[in-house]
Amino acid sequence: MHLHRASAETLSPNEATLAELLAEQMGIQVGHRPSASEKHSWERSIPALRADLISAGLGQVEMLLEYRLPLTSKRADVILAGRHPRTNRPSYVIIELKQWSQAKRLEDSETLFRVAPHHTREYLHPGLQVDGYCDYLADFTTHLAETDHSLVGAAYLHNADDAGVADILAAPSGTRSRVFTGQRRGEFITFLQAHLAPLPGHDVADALLSSAVAPSRHLLKVAADEVQRQEMFVLLDEQRLAYEEVLHAVSEARSADHKTAVVISGGPGSGKSVIALSLMGELARQGRSVLHATGSRSFTLTLRRVAGARAPKVQKMFTYFNQFMDAEKNGLDCLILDEAHRMRETSVQRYTPKAQRLRARPQVEELLEAARVPVFLLDDHQVVRPGEQGTADEIDRFAREKGLDVRRISLDDQFRSGGSELFVSWVQRTLGLVPDGEFKWPGDERFELLTASSPAEMEAWLRGRAEEGETARIAAGYAWPWSDAPKDGALVPDVVIGDWARPWNVKGERAVGGAPPAALWATDPNGFGQVGCVYTAQGFEYDHAGVIFGPDLVWRDDRWVAVRDANKDPDFKSRKTVGDDVFDKLVRNVYKVLLTRGMKSVVVFSTDAETQAHLESLIPRAGGTRR
């Protein structure tokens, strides 16, 4: 949770010794040493804060250096822990140390600044940064939610005078934070004395460090209103059954000290995410501690955007599978694991701290232990990436080995693809994912399935639907290279089929030339015009879906053939880690996911002539067709 802890009196006054101590701890905990600039910052900033604390008579206050905020990799520079001078209650002051000497705001902005000498990037107002740290810590630390306390923050620009950062001082700061310059050192010392008494703070620091992590009741109240205003979701049949089963399990877990894992399986559009959001809203209203997690960045960012549109705090309740490595056992009443088929073998990644790597466990074990009632929502046929291990049978087996009761629920009804069970069956049988063999599409008044003779015809047909005010996207198998956007901001048209060429969706988190960030490709209207891949389409739906079969899955004689060398997905590159049989299954699942994104129609095209002919033998043509 932090790199080093000491009182101001006992903290080493030697700049180099202190910086090296922190660097060693970072190497142990995080797995890599700090950059030269970060180490230099420690050498200059922390001794300055230490000197001010001693000058203020606060040498016994505890300093938690590089404190990691719960369920995130973000770190606050310093948290001061002590007693409030007026109430004697626990008092915490979050300090963000900046070596800035000059900063200018961006035109027409009071929150973004350019800081010398780093003129090529923007920085958030440091007061707002600290304010966010305060709110986050209060929202997810049980000790702060249950104990009367004081929590404030300050950004300390100890190298700056007022003139150099006048734009920052003139802009509104946060509600919990203040900004001080080196010129205002006296005011900073007075601020510290107003919130911390000259008393030992070790017990106050202990309480914070040992606190459980869970959303506060205030945050739950906000989430209840935001996630499910006026019970806007209507749950039918198996959906309602699954919902009630989870609520019962949570109630039982508290009253009878009983732990249950719930596994909810369903195909695309069966309502898994609707159940998840309904449970979030209801459990929050009941005051239960609940979080939502997925393994998909696109899906999580979109849920944050939608469910937390009016309340940014709620966005923090939507997190990722790999953020529970250090979670307290049964610390939550309920943990909702949406898209659980995307679970990995472990939560370890390149940025995982070394200490966590050494005690890594299976990810499913971490998630099972994090809540009294872990809820897994999944589709066994949506495993599309090597290393994804979330199947209903595997979760069931692991939970029972841990001595847990398991409730399994199947969502049989179909809500995506126009409610057409026939279409989902056609996809699964055509791709050979279930037995019984393929069949010619007989038509369904609730859903339209068509072929296009070219990607241009497909795009024209979909554009017509978009011009009518409906949503439409083209997605493809990962069978073309994927270039980084050049510095001029124009996406590279990597998906080339004859004289038709379009770019993939944006790779990163920033819009490029009008195209939305990757996480918003499926939901932002400007996503039309780029080709999506399975990683940006999975978990989403749109009215009309165009699916391009690339040369990585072709029809030969009487069967599908997976062509490994035609696939460009770097996750599939190694034959050692992904055998040919695994690749064959995964690439079929990829196309199954892409084909089941459309709510009203799907139009398909293959770049391979034999495959296109086979599809046309099963599906009617799109040219000139109107719904």
Side-chain angles (χ1 to χ4, degrees), residues 50 52 60 204 215 220 230 264 271 314 348 499 537 618:
R50 174 186 179 273
D52 289 344
Q60 298 181 80
V204 179
L220 290 171
Q230 300 176 357
I264 302 171
V314 175
V348 172
D499 58 0
L618 299 175

Side-chain angles (χ1 to χ4, degrees), residues 348-421:
V348 172
Q349 55 178 317
R350 60 183 296 191
Y351 299 112
T352 301
K354 183 178 179 180
Q356 289 181 319
R357 288 175 183 269
L358 295 176
R359 58 178 187 273
R361 300 175 293 161
Q363 190 172 80
V364 63
E365 179 179 338
E366 296 167 358
L367 300 175
L368 282 166
E369 290 193 355
R372 290 176 178 270
V373 179
V375 180
F376 299 84
L377 300 113
L378 57 91
D379 177 358
D380 286 347
H381 292 305
Q382 287 202 46
V383 175
V384 297
R385 184 175 248 170
E388 293 179 345
Q389 299 189 337
T391 67
D393 288 343
E394 182 67 13
I395 295 168
D396 187 301
R397 180 189 66 78
F398 207 100
R400 293 188 189 278
E401 287 179 357
K402 293 292 183 180
L404 305 184
D405 286 346
V406 180
R407 295 181 186 174
R408 292 183 65 164
I409 303 162
S410 176
L411 304 173
D412 295 325
D413 287 334
Q414 172 65 27
F415 287 81
R416 186 172 282 150
S417 304
S420 177
E421 295 177 63

Side-chain angles (χ1 to χ4, degrees), residues 174-488:
T175 58
R176 293 178 184 259
S177 66
R178 298 274 304 277
V179 176
F180 299 94
T181 63
Q183 183 177 331
R184 302 189 182 196
R185 179 174 180 267
E187 293 179 27
F188 179 57
I189 288 175
T190 300
F191 168 82
L192 295 174
Q193 292 170 329
H195 293 280
L196 296 164
L199 298 170
H202 54 81
D203 60 328
V204 179
D206 287 344
L208 179 65
L209 294 175
S210 62
S211 175
V213 174
S216 68
R217 289 188 177 274
H218 169 72
L219 181 57
L220 290 171
K221 183 177 179 181
V222 175
D225 178 58
E226 187 66 22
V227 174
Q228 195 187 27
R229 296 190 298 276
Q230 300 176 357
E231 298 185 356
M232 60 182 174
F233 300 120
V234 177
L235 303 177
L236 302 175
D237 300 331
E238 286 86 357
Q239 293 177 339
R240 184 59 184 263
L241 172 66
Y243 171 83
E244 296 293 347
E245 286 272 14
V246 173
L247 293 182
H248 176 72
V250 172
S251 177
E252 188 179 52
R254 277 296 183 94
S255 62
D257 193 23
H258 187 78
K259 183 175 174 107
T260 301
V262 181
V263 181
I264 302 171
S265 302
S270 55
K272 298 184 294 296
S273 294
V274 170
I275 294 168
L277 291 175
S278 296
L279 286 169
M280 287 279 288
E282 179 58 29
L283 291 170
R285 273 195 295 279
Q286 293 181 10
R288 306 292 194 183
S289 56
V290 57
L291 291 176
H292 181 286
T294 80
S296 165
R297 183 171 184 80
S298 294
F299 195 38
T300 296
L301 291 179
T302 298
L303 285 172
R304 287 175 178 175
R305 183 190 191 196
V306 173
R310 302 182 310 165
K313 285 188 174 188
V314 175
Q315 297 175 6
K316 303 164 192 169
M317 296 180 69
F318 294 88
T319 183
Y320 298 98
F321 295 157
N322 62 5
Q323 292 184 269
F324 294 88
M325 296 182 74
D326 291 331
E328 180 186 14
K329 187 174 182 179
N330 298 329
L332 297 169
D333 288 317
C334 185
L335 177 57
I336 298 170
L337 303 155
D338 209 345
E339 299 271 296
H341 43 264
R342 302 197 69 170
M343 285 193 302
R344 313 291 289 187
E345 182 178 357
T346 76
S347 296
V348 172
Q349 55 178 317
R350 60 183 296 191
Y351 299 112
T352 301
K354 183 178 179 180
Q356 289 181 319
R357 288 175 183 269
L358 295 176
R359 58 178 187 273
R361 300 175 293 161
Q363 190 172 80
V364 63
E365 179 179 338
E366 296 167 358
L367 300 175
L368 282 166
E369 290 193 355
R372 290 176 178 270
V373 179
V375 180
F376 299 84
L377 300 113
L378 57 91
D379 177 358
D380 286 347
H381 292 305
Q382 287 202 46
V383 175
V384 297
R385 184 175 248 170
E388 293 179 345
Q389 299 189 337
T391 67
D393 288 343
E394 182 67 13
I395 295 168
D396 187 301
R397 180 189 66 78
F398 207 100
R400 293 188 189 278
E401 287 179 357
K402 293 292 183 180
L404 305 184
D405 286 346
V406 180
R407 295 181 186 174
R408 292 183 65 164
I409 303 162
S410 176
L411 304 173
D412 295 325
D413 287 334
Q414 172 65 27
F415 287 81
R416 186 172 282 150
S417 304
S420 177
E421 295 177 63
L422 179 64
F423 174 68
V424 174
S425 175
W426 181 89
V427 170
Q428 292 177 333
R429 287 173 60 177
T430 297
L431 291 174
L433 295 172
V434 296
D436 301 328
E438 64 183 16
F439 60 93
K440 188 170 182 177
W441 175 244
D444 187 329
E445 63 180 12
R446 295 171 297 178
F447 192 77
E448 195 165 16
L449 175 60
L450 306 162
T451 60
S453 62
S454 68
E457 183 181 67
M458 171 188 288
E459 186 176 48
W461 193 88
L462 292 170
R463 181 176 288 108
R465 310 292 81 76
E467 289 172 352
E468 294 172 355
E470 299 187 310
T471 54
R473 295 290 184 276
I474 294 177
Y478 203 154
W480 288 267
W482 197 330
S483 303
D484 294 324
K487 293 183 179 180
D488 65 6

